[in-house]
Amino acid sequence: MTEQTADGLMLAADGKPLKQSLNRALRRQKLRAFLLIAPLLIFVLVTFIAPIGDMLFRSVENDIVADTLPRTVAALADWSPDSGAPPGEPVYRALASDLLIAVAAKTHTQLGTRLNYEDSGFSSLLRGTGRDVDDMGEDVGKALVAVDPVWDEPVTWTNLLGDPAWISAQADWAKAGDKTPEPPFVPSAAAQKNLPLTAAAYGDFARVMQTVKEDSPTEKRPWNTVAVSLTEDLKANPSAAAAFGADWQPRLSAVVAAEQGGAIPAADFMAAFTESDKAWGTPQPWEVIKTFSPRFTSGYFLNAVDLKMTPEGIAPRSEAERVYLMLFLRTMVLSLVITGTCILLGYPVAWLLANLPARTANLLMILVLLPFWTSLLVRTSAWKVLLQQQGVINDLLVWAGLVADNNRLVLINNQTGTIIAMTHILLPFMILPLYSVMKTIPPSYLRAAKSLGATDWTAFWRVYFPQSVPGIGAGSILVFILAIGYYITPELVGGAKGVFISNRIAYHIGTSLNWGLAAALGSLLLVVVLVLYWVYDRIVGIDNVKLG
Amino acid sequence: MTLKSLLSATALAMLPLGASAAFAEDLPPCDNCSDSMVLMSWGGAYQASQVAAYAEPYSKLTGVKITWDEGSNEAIAKMRAASEAGNMTYSLVDVEGPDSQRACDEGLAEEIDFDKDLAAAPDGTAASKDFGSAIINECFVPQIVFSTTFGYRTDVKEWNGKVPDNLCAIFDLENFPGMRALEKRPKKNLEWALLCDGVPKEELYTVLSSEGGVDRALAKLDTIKDQVVWWSAGAETPQLLADGEVVMGSTYNGRLFSAIVEQKQPIGMLWDWQVFDFDGWVVPKGLDEAQKNRVLHFLNFATDTQRLADQAKYISYGPARASSQPLVSTHATLGIEMAPYMPTNPANQKNYLVNNIEWWADNQDEVEVAFQNWLSK
């Protein structure tokens, strides 16, 4: 069948080196194996890994501040909270511009919710100021109209600032009827050069009108910030009027003259914000915005371990604000206790299952599996009926005279309740791996040990038990990992002191909607599990674990 | 399931002959409307009352297929998830007042033009006026007023014939010994604790906002802490009361109504300082045009004066429209007068509270942590 070449290479029947054709065959086999598992792999990636990855990403993602308040964040770059004073007028101006856009898109309340996680009160601060921001700078707008009523006409602004090509395109569009969307506003080069602030402010206004409000800028009077920008542009560059057509020169000159004559007040956004809410006059809200302006934040993770981010750095939370570390610890301790009780209760049952005659063992197996097939909620509620103070167990104890009627045992709505109910629910996960391992231990070993003079205990402890350890290992891992993620059972029977960290995660996902914090807590839980798994592997060795 | 179909069957049986024809005339045509809707509600007796009072009649009149999702417990989370996935699968969502505020804040709910979208009262009063203070934000279409209040067992020997007649009996372990059931949430509990600590109603939120205000409320709760069973689902308190596990406890008034009237348990009801809350609809953002038209058409029908009054035949929650109040009659199957069991009955609302939604929106997160911290001590 095979031949050997002169240099000792084995050749296959087709004359190619054996090693090569063997490799090819193996590669084909590997590919086939991969194709077989590919559907599962894709399924797991799409439905499991990707959503989990997305969720975990939320624990650091923090785009909302920079996206909603871009101008404010940029303006705050120069301000330091150490100064102890609120920032200057340009920052207030920037915030007014940002808020006008945010209010139109209704994103200011979302931002309020986000910042409220860090500083209670932000939610209503932004909601309240959002209501007032339209009127800020109103005195300037009114003064402008007083100088010349033409400034009250929306078209004045589009004609002054719009690109001539856009103006004619817009006119054509208006004539054709509004079936298609209006052509997006384009500022003229002259406006951008000579009235830069105004062109930018009006550009924002026109974009918001066209995209968010689906309104034409030719029909809406611009925000007061545009009027304020115009007066400032003209103050900085009184000769700007020269760049515009003959129609505009007297109008713009009149504004310059009115400004110089003191008929147009200087805008005071700081006063307007402080009037809306006096909190804006303090450094506090600015500190929060500045601290949480980066696009990625460690804030959620810090919160998840009872720390907080302050302008001075990371600081521990006060005694009354700490809750998560304690819950992590409690989750670990209770899960270990539950794993322990599962071993204690499950070991003898698994031994019986493995050693009784088949008929009895099968019956016993059904008894083990039956609760496994019953709804989790039903089993948990059944424990309530059994364990409560007027429940079956207490009634029996009182009837038997073991417990006084006015001193019934408190078995539920505390940690005892959680341990009892969860041990029961997780017991099959301990019994089944134990059983499958014990089934493979030949009974003859025990007999041999005894015939060599070992007592029952020695035979068990020195011969049988070491062989069943892989089953304990597998069962413990299953039970422990399931236990630390449980939340329905602790919520129902755990009362105040028997709830787990998962209950807080569920609360933040479903009720408080702080998904960032929930993701951070979840990530930490995942890390804890992986670390414990690693430790376990180092101590017991994962190869010693048998699931069946 | 059976209860639901039973209730809807009774509802239809009760419609006067020819009534549906009359409705059909009243019901304006719906142009460019989808022929199915997915409504999210609370399940149980409450959803059954909605089915019987307006969903079933509406389907009957228009042939629209209505599917129910019993997910209101986590409505905002579900709406947010659907919205982020870019596929809003719910047409109309039933939420409590504070949740509607959140849906609105998060940009998940459409704003409602009350006078345009909703039916006026029979006497022509505009909807916005008829709903009045029940309109708590621009996204929320109120349906009912419910209250959280206390039930107590009427057969406690240790009380020597005394019966709690005011809220502060909760904190009175001397005269009213026994376990109490309270919700495992700070909201309402803090307000009640301060009221019984001598804070007048008007100053509640000033005190809570002040330094140490929350601690003061928690300190008052501390006096009964080891006598409290904490509940997280509204069904728990009636069960605990029925089992004799607690002697008094807070829950929604409709739950107590079922326990007392339908299940005939020895339970009494304490209306003192009941906390009012509204429940109603929000229209999710991101619906396609036909779906949105259908939803608005349904909303107009389902929240008119008669329909809201009809709902009170099936559940003891008060209609949110002023014009529906006089139409509240007797229970659909038990035949008893419903007015005495309504939280809005004048005799029941001598003392009442309405949660300050804005305060809670601001302080919920911080107070919740303080409360959990306190609970675990």
Side-chain angles (χ1 to χ4, degrees), chain A residues 135-150:
Chain A
D135 298 336
M136 291 183 184
E138 202 179 20
D139 45 351
V140 178
K142 280 193 174 143
L144 200 63
V145 175
V147 172
D148 188 342
V150 80

PDB file of all heavy atoms in Angstrom, chain A residues 135-150:
ATOM      1  N   ASP A 135     -37.236  82.331  26.530  1.00  0.00           N
ATOM      2  CA  ASP A 135     -37.394  83.762  26.836  1.00  0.00           C
ATOM      3  C   ASP A 135     -36.084  84.447  27.166  1.00  0.00           C
ATOM      4  O   ASP A 135     -36.044  85.660  27.358  1.00  0.00           O
ATOM      5  CB  ASP A 135     -38.345  83.938  28.021  1.00  0.00           C
ATOM      6  CG  ASP A 135     -39.725  83.407  27.686  1.00  0.00           C
ATOM      7  OD1 ASP A 135     -40.038  83.363  26.482  1.00  0.00           O
ATOM      8  OD2 ASP A 135     -40.466  83.025  28.611  1.00  0.00           O
ATOM      9  N   MET A 136     -35.007  83.672  27.272  1.00  0.00           N
ATOM     10  CA  MET A 136     -33.736  84.307  27.651  1.00  0.00           C
ATOM     11  C   MET A 136     -33.249  85.194  26.507  1.00  0.00           C
ATOM     12  O   MET A 136     -33.311  84.806  25.351  1.00  0.00           O
ATOM     13  CB  MET A 136     -32.698  83.248  27.973  1.00  0.00           C
ATOM     14  CG  MET A 136     -33.026  82.494  29.253  1.00  0.00           C
ATOM     15  SD  MET A 136     -31.748  81.314  29.636  1.00  0.00           S
ATOM     16  CE  MET A 136     -32.472  80.521  31.066  1.00  0.00           C
ATOM     17  N   GLY A 137     -32.746  86.350  26.845  1.00  0.00           N
ATOM     18  CA  GLY A 137     -32.295  87.294  25.818  1.00  0.00           C
ATOM     19  C   GLY A 137     -33.448  88.005  25.144  1.00  0.00           C
ATOM     20  O   GLY A 137     -33.266  88.666  24.117  1.00  0.00           O
ATOM     21  N   GLU A 138     -34.633  87.880  25.745  1.00  0.00           N
ATOM     22  CA  GLU A 138     -35.812  88.478  25.133  1.00  0.00           C
ATOM     23  C   GLU A 138     -35.685  90.002  25.027  1.00  0.00           C
ATOM     24  O   GLU A 138     -36.121  90.606  24.047  1.00  0.00           O
ATOM     25  CB  GLU A 138     -37.033  88.119  25.977  1.00  0.00           C
ATOM     26  CG  GLU A 138     -38.338  88.209  25.234  1.00  0.00           C
ATOM     27  CD  GLU A 138     -39.493  87.804  26.127  1.00  0.00           C
ATOM     28  OE1 GLU A 138     -39.335  87.826  27.356  1.00  0.00           O
ATOM     29  OE2 GLU A 138     -40.553  87.453  25.582  1.00  0.00           O
ATOM     30  N   ASP A 139     -35.042  90.619  26.052  1.00  0.00           N
ATOM     31  CA  ASP A 139     -34.927  92.091  26.045  1.00  0.00           C
ATOM     32  C   ASP A 139     -34.144  92.564  24.819  1.00  0.00           C
ATOM     33  O   ASP A 139     -34.481  93.573  24.212  1.00  0.00           O
ATOM     34  CB  ASP A 139     -34.288  92.604  27.356  1.00  0.00           C
ATOM     35  CG  ASP A 139     -33.082  91.782  27.763  1.00  0.00           C
ATOM     36  OD1 ASP A 139     -32.852  90.718  27.138  1.00  0.00           O
ATOM     37  OD2 ASP A 139     -32.365  92.198  28.687  1.00  0.00           O
ATOM     38  N   VAL A 140     -33.132  91.769  24.425  1.00  0.00           N
ATOM     39  CA  VAL A 140     -32.357  92.156  23.239  1.00  0.00           C
ATOM     40  C   VAL A 140     -33.221  92.026  21.993  1.00  0.00           C
ATOM     41  O   VAL A 140     -33.261  92.929  21.151  1.00  0.00           O
ATOM     42  CB  VAL A 140     -31.086  91.279  23.120  1.00  0.00           C
ATOM     43  CG1 VAL A 140     -30.314  91.656  21.868  1.00  0.00           C
ATOM     44  CG2 VAL A 140     -30.223  91.437  24.360  1.00  0.00           C
ATOM     45  N   GLY A 141     -33.943  90.906  21.897  1.00  0.00           N
ATOM     46  CA  GLY A 141     -34.810  90.686  20.742  1.00  0.00           C
ATOM     47  C   GLY A 141     -35.835  91.795  20.610  1.00  0.00           C
ATOM     48  O   GLY A 141     -36.077  92.323  19.522  1.00  0.00           O
ATOM     49  N   LYS A 142     -36.414  92.172  21.753  1.00  0.00           N
ATOM     50  CA  LYS A 142     -37.448  93.215  21.727  1.00  0.00           C
ATOM     51  C   LYS A 142     -36.866  94.560  21.349  1.00  0.00           C
ATOM     52  O   LYS A 142     -37.472  95.319  20.578  1.00  0.00           O
ATOM     53  CB  LYS A 142     -38.132  93.304  23.095  1.00  0.00           C
ATOM     54  CG  LYS A 142     -39.173  92.209  23.274  1.00  0.00           C
ATOM     55  CD  LYS A 142     -40.065  92.491  24.476  1.00  0.00           C
ATOM     56  CE  LYS A 142     -41.173  91.470  24.560  1.00  0.00           C
ATOM     57  NZ  LYS A 142     -41.494  91.102  25.937  1.00  0.00           N
ATOM     58  N   ALA A 143     -35.674  94.843  21.889  1.00  0.00           N
ATOM     59  CA  ALA A 143     -35.039  96.121  21.591  1.00  0.00           C
ATOM     60  C   ALA A 143     -34.735  96.224  20.107  1.00  0.00           C
ATOM     61  O   ALA A 143     -34.881  97.282  19.494  1.00  0.00           O
ATOM     62  CB  ALA A 143     -33.755  96.272  22.410  1.00  0.00           C
ATOM     63  N   LEU A 144     -34.337  95.093  19.520  1.00  0.00           N
ATOM     64  CA  LEU A 144     -34.025  95.062  18.091  1.00  0.00           C
ATOM     65  C   LEU A 144     -35.274  95.394  17.264  1.00  0.00           C
ATOM     66  O   LEU A 144     -35.231  96.172  16.308  1.00  0.00           O
ATOM     67  CB  LEU A 144     -33.499  93.674  17.736  1.00  0.00           C
ATOM     68  CG  LEU A 144     -32.683  93.545  16.453  1.00  0.00           C
ATOM     69  CD1 LEU A 144     -31.415  94.375  16.555  1.00  0.00           C
ATOM     70  CD2 LEU A 144     -32.327  92.083  16.221  1.00  0.00           C
ATOM     71  N   VAL A 145     -36.389  94.791  17.672  1.00  0.00           N
ATOM     72  CA  VAL A 145     -37.646  95.045  16.963  1.00  0.00           C
ATOM     73  C   VAL A 145     -38.067  96.502  17.145  1.00  0.00           C
ATOM     74  O   VAL A 145     -38.623  97.125  16.240  1.00  0.00           O
ATOM     75  CB  VAL A 145     -38.744  94.088  17.446  1.00  0.00           C
ATOM     76  CG1 VAL A 145     -40.084  94.427  16.816  1.00  0.00           C
ATOM     77  CG2 VAL A 145     -38.357  92.640  17.121  1.00  0.00           C
ATOM     78  N   ALA A 146     -37.758  97.060  18.332  1.00  0.00           N
ATOM     79  CA  ALA A 146     -38.107  98.454  18.593  1.00  0.00           C
ATOM     80  C   ALA A 146     -37.325  99.381  17.656  1.00  0.00           C
ATOM     81  O   ALA A 146     -37.827 100.411  17.221  1.00  0.00           O
ATOM     82  CB  ALA A 146     -37.838  98.814  20.053  1.00  0.00           C
ATOM     83  N   VAL A 147     -36.073  98.978  17.356  1.00  0.00           N
ATOM     84  CA  VAL A 147     -35.260  99.789  16.447  1.00  0.00           C
ATOM     85  C   VAL A 147     -35.883  99.772  15.060  1.00  0.00           C
ATOM     86  O   VAL A 147     -35.995 100.796  14.391  1.00  0.00           O
ATOM     87  CB  VAL A 147     -33.812  99.251  16.393  1.00  0.00           C
ATOM     88  CG1 VAL A 147     -33.016  99.965  15.309  1.00  0.00           C
ATOM     89  CG2 VAL A 147     -33.147  99.406  17.745  1.00  0.00           C
ATOM     90  N   ASP A 148     -36.270  98.572  14.618  1.00  0.00           N
ATOM     91  CA  ASP A 148     -36.868  98.445  13.290  1.00  0.00           C
ATOM     92  C   ASP A 148     -37.778  97.222  13.283  1.00  0.00           C
ATOM     93  O   ASP A 148     -37.302  96.107  13.498  1.00  0.00           O
ATOM     94  CB  ASP A 148     -35.735  98.272  12.251  1.00  0.00           C
ATOM     95  CG  ASP A 148     -36.283  98.325  10.828  1.00  0.00           C
ATOM     96  OD1 ASP A 148     -37.507  98.158  10.648  1.00  0.00           O
ATOM     97  OD2 ASP A 148     -35.470  98.535   9.916  1.00  0.00           O
ATOM     98  N   PRO A 149     -39.083  97.440  13.053  1.00  0.00           N
ATOM     99  CA  PRO A 149     -40.042  96.304  13.124  1.00  0.00           C
ATOM    100  C   PRO A 149     -39.707  95.204  12.124  1.00  0.00           C
ATOM    101  O   PRO A 149     -40.192  94.080  12.253  1.00  0.00           O
ATOM    102  CB  PRO A 149     -41.390  96.931  12.777  1.00  0.00           C
ATOM    103  CG  PRO A 149     -41.199  98.401  12.839  1.00  0.00           C
ATOM    104  CD  PRO A 149     -39.756  98.707  12.736  1.00  0.00           C
ATOM    105  N   VAL A 150     -38.862  95.509  11.148  1.00  0.00           N
ATOM    106  CA  VAL A 150     -38.554  94.508  10.135  1.00  0.00           C
ATOM    107  C   VAL A 150     -37.894  93.268  10.754  1.00  0.00           C
ATOM    108  O   VAL A 150     -37.992  92.160  10.225  1.00  0.00           O
ATOM    109  CB  VAL A 150     -37.672  95.145   9.030  1.00  0.00           C
ATOM    110  CG1 VAL A 150     -36.216  95.213   9.484  1.00  0.00           C
ATOM    111  CG2 VAL A 150     -37.786  94.351   7.738  1.00  0.00           C
TER     112      VAL A 150
END
